[in-house]
Amino acid sequence: MSRTETAAPRSLYATAARQSVTKLSPRLLLRNPVLFVTAIVAAMTTLLALRDLVAGTGGGVTIQISLWLWITVLFANFAEALAEGRGKARADSLRTTGQETRVKRLASADAEHGSAESVSSTELRKGQFVLVDAGDLIPTDGEAVAGVASVNESAITGESAPVIREAGGDRSSVTGGTTIVSDWLVFKVTAEPGKSFLDKMIALVEGAERQKTPNEIALSILLTGLTLIFLFVVVTLQPFALYSGTSIPVVFLAALFVTLIPTTIGGLLSAIGIAGMDRLVKANVIAKSGRAVEAAGDVDVLLLDKTGTITFGNRMADGFLPTQGVSEKRLAQAAWLASQADDTPEGKSIVELATRVLGDDIPRIAIKEHVAFSAQTRLSGVDVEHGTTIRKGAVDAIVKHTGTEPNPILIGNIENIARSGGTPLLVSQDSQILGVIHLKDIIKPGVRERFAELRAMGVRTVMITGDNPLTAAAIAAEAGVDDFMAEATPEAKLERIRDEQAQGRLVAMCGDGSNDAPALAQADVGVAMNSGTPAAKEAGNLIDLDSDPTKLIEIVMVGKQLLISRGALTTFSIANDAAKYFAILPALFLGAYPGLATLNVMGLSSPESAILSAVIFNALVIVALIPLALRGVRYAPASASALLRNNLLIYGLGGLVVPFIGIKAIDLIVGALNLA
């Protein structure tokens, strides 16, 4: 991915330049009323210039005005093409991962590996079974039904660290375009050709066919309205001029009209929206619609599924609490021995925690026999030398095994663990209970701090879980969410979102399971984890390739940055137009009304120079603002009044001042060239 990203910019500009010409098609220009009107005026001035040339009446100024009007349209098209090209560059790099390849198809999930049939990946159909070994490319989306393997998903997520995919559980989903690093998998194809997650990603990141958001539509209506107002203003200037005993050339009126209508924001509007989606792609989030990106900027409430989203989803060892008279190290040694043959996530976490506690004091004891966990005994452990038995298991199972009741201190620890939402696991040696292991659903690192950031941005977080209220309250307190919803069913999640929306709030939902799909579909912003089920990814309108629930902070910031960027550039554009109006009109009517000389603060040399300088400035300012439109205005959490004040001071005042400076500088250059 990095090679593509570093190599892309050079070719990107050339492609965008070609696209800016292609986008002169009236059908494409019609999507942007301001640019469409500008193109019509440019065509009209071109005809006037040709007429003057044929008639032999000069037309040098008309030709220059016509040329700069076309350049204005091309620069606006270039901004949009450049924004689209950044997304398409990502799509092209993704497309290379989906090339046709040979795969091993099985007749059924339990077929022998030796019976695999070699076929083209294009022949795979939904419901068929595929065997992938180390080094193989996973050709399409599927669900693992056998085996366990390490998978490199960097082609999709950009993350180089391999992930484990295995049959059953939440890690069974495999994605086309990823590669098996080690071991093997048999997976069931879940997507028809051309409809895999990779295919959808390619279509989504290109963004060329994205629909306009409600705010963008409202802004388009505003710009259209301003265009009609300035059309009326310009049309009425000629009667005033005739009444005053003078006349304004039609080409001047046409050029004045284009410089007054909001061409700056009109030309950059699409680029701002596309760039917002592109910034999400850089954050490893795929947006299915521009609406979701924009809605993220106004989110009031975030609902998060607990398991796999806020927590890792597996119970893990969090601490050793020895009974009276037993040291922590002795309890850790026994737990370490009892978990040697336990391949469950819980067992591995006990070994890891015990290793950290023991350091160099790892027990050197010969193990005679491993005792596997069974549903009947609810115990596991080892038999070691001298007939010693070490077991770990549920509280009642260990009490029954040892025939010993826990002392009051140990009972207190057990009750505290249960109240906190954890699971107590007793450890015994022969008939003695050594202590308890605290198993808990571990909160993902950094979650609490990230939720605090969301709170500062005005977003309220709500954890949704199927746990009982006691467990839910404990995890909610540790995670730092503002509210929680316990014993939640899919119907209850859906109802909660509808209730929040009925109160006028915009709701975002993060989830990864099939039971989250209805809520993800109902939410204004549905963020599905890439590690989640196909149903969740289908229901969400944003897909987080890193499966990081705290990514919503970046999503919200990109959404707010998009809204602020659009507002800032709109403020600049409108102020810009007002400044140009008062800068140019005095120069146009100076001959008829000499008293206007006091208003000609820029001292523009002539009406021709004033109009030409304004047209040139109008084109160049679009180019100057392209980097800002693509990068976005920097967002820092602040109140609406503070943001408005900054907009007016920086972009409003800047929009008033810059045209005076720019037009005067261009007027001096134009005057010098004419003298030369």
Side-chain angles (χ1 to χ4, degrees):
M1 297 298 294
S2 59
R3 290 182 182 179
T4 304
E5 288 173 0
T6 54
R10 292 184 179 179
S11 60
L12 209 56
Y13 291 114
T15 303
R18 290 193 297 270
Q19 286 292 317
S20 63
V21 177
T22 305
K23 288 177 177 290
L24 289 175
S25 164
R27 181 179 59 84
L28 297 176
L29 285 174
L30 196 57
R31 296 184 301 181
N32 191 324
V34 175
L35 275 189
F36 183 68
V37 169
T38 305
I40 290 177
V41 174
M44 185 184 73
T45 55
T46 302
L47 292 175
L48 292 174
L50 292 174
R51 182 202 65 183
D52 292 344
L53 285 174
V54 171
T57 56
V61 174
T62 306
I63 292 172
Q64 292 180 67
I65 289 174
S66 173
L67 177 64
W68 279 103
L69 289 179
W70 282 117
I71 289 174
T72 301
V73 178
L74 288 172
F75 281 166
N77 285 344
F78 179 79
E80 182 177 18
L82 192 62
E84 290 177 355
R86 292 164 69 177
K88 289 179 179 178
R90 165 87 180 201
D92 290 340
S93 66
L94 289 173
R95 194 173 281 113
T96 61
T97 68
Q99 297 174 348
E100 181 179 349
T101 184
R102 304 298 295 181
V103 298
K104 298 181 279 290
R105 184 170 63 188
L106 298 174
S108 64
D110 55 357
E112 293 293 331
H113 291 190
S115 63
E117 172 190 13
S118 178
V119 299
S120 168
S121 58
T122 58
E123 298 178 34
L124 294 177
R125 295 296 180 268
K126 188 175 180 179
Q128 294 181 342
F129 297 92
V130 177
L131 167 66
V132 280
D133 293 308
D136 288 350
L137 183 77
I138 296 177
T140 186
D141 297 351
E143 287 288 324
V145 294
V148 57
S150 178
V151 181
N152 182 351
E153 297 185 343
S154 60
I156 303 297
T157 66
E159 175 58 53
S160 58
V163 296
I164 299 298
R165 292 288 178 254
E166 58 187 335
D170 295 332
R171 298 183 295 178
S172 61
S173 177
V174 295
T175 306
T178 57
T179 306
I180 299 291
V181 176
S182 65
D183 302 297
W184 60 272
L185 276 177
V186 174
F187 70 89
K188 183 179 181 179
V189 177
T190 58
E192 295 290 354
K195 296 183 179 180
S196 70
F197 179 60
L198 182 62
D199 295 315
K200 292 176 183 177
M201 275 182 62
I202 292 171
L204 290 171
V205 298
E206 286 183 325
E209 300 301 323
R210 70 181 186 92
Q211 294 180 323
K212 289 186 177 181
T213 65
N215 279 349
E216 198 171 348
I217 292 172
L219 185 54
S220 295
I221 294 172
L222 172 64
L223 299 184
T224 304
L226 289 174
T227 301
L228 293 174
I229 291 171
F230 281 118
L231 176 62
F232 176 78
V233 169
V234 171
V235 168
T236 57
L237 286 178
Q238 189 68 289
F240 278 112
L242 293 173
Y243 178 78
S244 305
T246 186
S247 178
I248 303 176
V250 174
V251 68
F252 282 15
L253 291 174
L256 178 63
F257 172 60
V258 170
T259 58
L260 293 183
I261 63 176
T263 48
T264 305
I265 185 61
L268 297 174
L269 190 58
S270 294
I272 294 169
I274 295 171
M277 297 179 71
D278 181 62
R279 282 194 291 275
L280 274 188
V281 170
K282 289 182 178 178
N284 263 0
V285 177
I286 300 300
K288 291 186 178 181
S289 74
R291 285 185 176 87
V293 183
E294 192 166 285
D298 288 327
V299 161
D300 302 297
V301 182
L302 166 62
L303 276 63
L304 302 107
D305 180 53
K306 184 207 76 174
T307 306
T309 304
I310 293 177
T311 66
F312 284 106
N314 293 315
R315 295 179 307 166
M316 302 177 72
D318 186 61
F320 297 120
L321 302 174
T323 190
Q324 192 173 11
V326 176
S327 68
E328 184 185 18
K329 279 199 172 184
R330 184 184 173 193
L331 173 59
Q333 286 177 336
W336 187 89
L337 287 166
S339 303
Q340 284 304 294
D342 190 345
D343 288 329
T344 64
E346 293 91 342
K348 292 177 181 177
S349 72
I350 292 171
V351 171
E352 183 180 344
L353 179 61
T355 302
R356 290 202 304 268
V357 171
L358 294 172
D360 296 330
D361 294 333
I362 299 296
R364 304 287 191 268
I365 300 175
I367 297 174
K368 292 183 177 180
E369 183 181 359
H370 291 286
V371 178
F373 175 84
S374 71
Q376 289 75 29
T377 63
R378 292 189 296 158
L379 296 172
S380 63
V382 292
D383 293 339
V384 297
E385 56 191 13
H386 308 303
T388 300
T389 61
I390 298 174
R391 298 288 186 269
K392 72 176 194 299
V395 173
D396 56 343
I398 289 292
V399 169
K400 181 180 179 181
H401 171 73
T402 60
T404 305
E405 291 291 334
N407 61 39
I409 294 177
L410 195 55
I411 290 174
N413 288 334
I414 292 170
E415 291 176 349
N416 289 336
I417 292 171
R419 273 196 297 270
S420 69
T423 301
L425 202 65
L426 289 184
V427 179
S428 68
Q429 180 173 333
D430 297 327
S431 61
Q432 181 186 8
I433 298 176
L434 301 179
V436 61
I437 303 172
H438 182 182
L439 293 180
K440 61 181 293 188
D441 201 353
I442 300 294
I443 304 294
K444 290 185 176 180
V447 164
R448 188 179 183 88
E449 292 76 12
R450 302 290 262 175
F451 288 160
E453 290 182 47
L454 281 170
R455 193 175 300 110
M457 295 164 66
V459 180
R460 186 164 56 91
T461 52
V462 181
M463 183 187 77
I464 299 181
T465 177
D467 290 337
N468 63 70
L470 190 64
T471 301
I475 294 176
E478 184 178 356
V481 295
D482 298 309
D483 195 6
F484 67 90
M485 183 179 177
E487 298 176 342
T489 62
E491 293 79 12
K493 297 177 187 179
L494 192 60
E495 189 61 32
R496 176 65 180 260
I497 291 176
R498 287 173 175 166
D499 287 344
E500 296 281 0
Q501 290 171 332
Q503 296 175 49
R505 300 188 182 101
L506 282 180
V507 181
M509 167 76 186
C510 282
D512 63 349
S514 297
N515 63 333
D516 297 322
L520 287 169
Q522 177 67 34
D524 300 286
V525 180
V527 185
M529 303 293 105
N530 186 43
S531 60
T533 63
K537 289 189 282 189
E538 187 67 29
N541 48 27
L542 296 173
I543 300 174
D544 177 17
L545 301 179
D546 296 328
S547 300
D548 177 8
T550 64
K551 185 72 68 65
L552 192 84
I553 292 178
E554 279 79 10
I555 295 172
V556 169
M557 291 189 71
V558 167
K560 288 186 180 296
Q561 189 180 41
L562 187 150
L563 294 174
I564 291 170
S565 299
R566 189 178 293 156
L569 291 179
T570 300
T571 303
F572 180 88
S573 181
I574 294 174
N576 206 18
D577 295 333
K580 285 184 285 185
Y581 184 81
F582 290 104
I584 298 168
L585 278 188
L588 284 177
F589 284 90
L590 197 58
Y593 299 100
L596 289 176
T598 55
L599 295 178
N600 186 18
V601 293
M602 288 190 292
L604 301 178
S605 55
S606 66
E608 292 84 357
S609 177
I611 284 292
L612 185 57
S613 299
V615 170
I616 294 173
F617 174 82
N618 200 56
L620 295 181
V621 76
I622 293 177
V623 179
L625 291 175
I626 286 177
L628 182 61
L630 297 181
R631 185 181 66 251
V633 176
R634 189 178 67 86
Y635 169 72
S639 65
S641 59
L643 292 174
L644 178 61
R645 185 173 59 252
N646 289 341
N647 258 3
L648 292 176
L649 284 175
I650 298 173
Y651 296 96
L653 187 60
L656 286 172
V657 174
V658 169
F660 286 94
I661 299 172
I663 292 174
K664 179 58 181 177
I666 296 170
D667 175 70
L668 292 173
I669 295 171
V670 169
L673 291 175
N674 287 338
L675 289 175

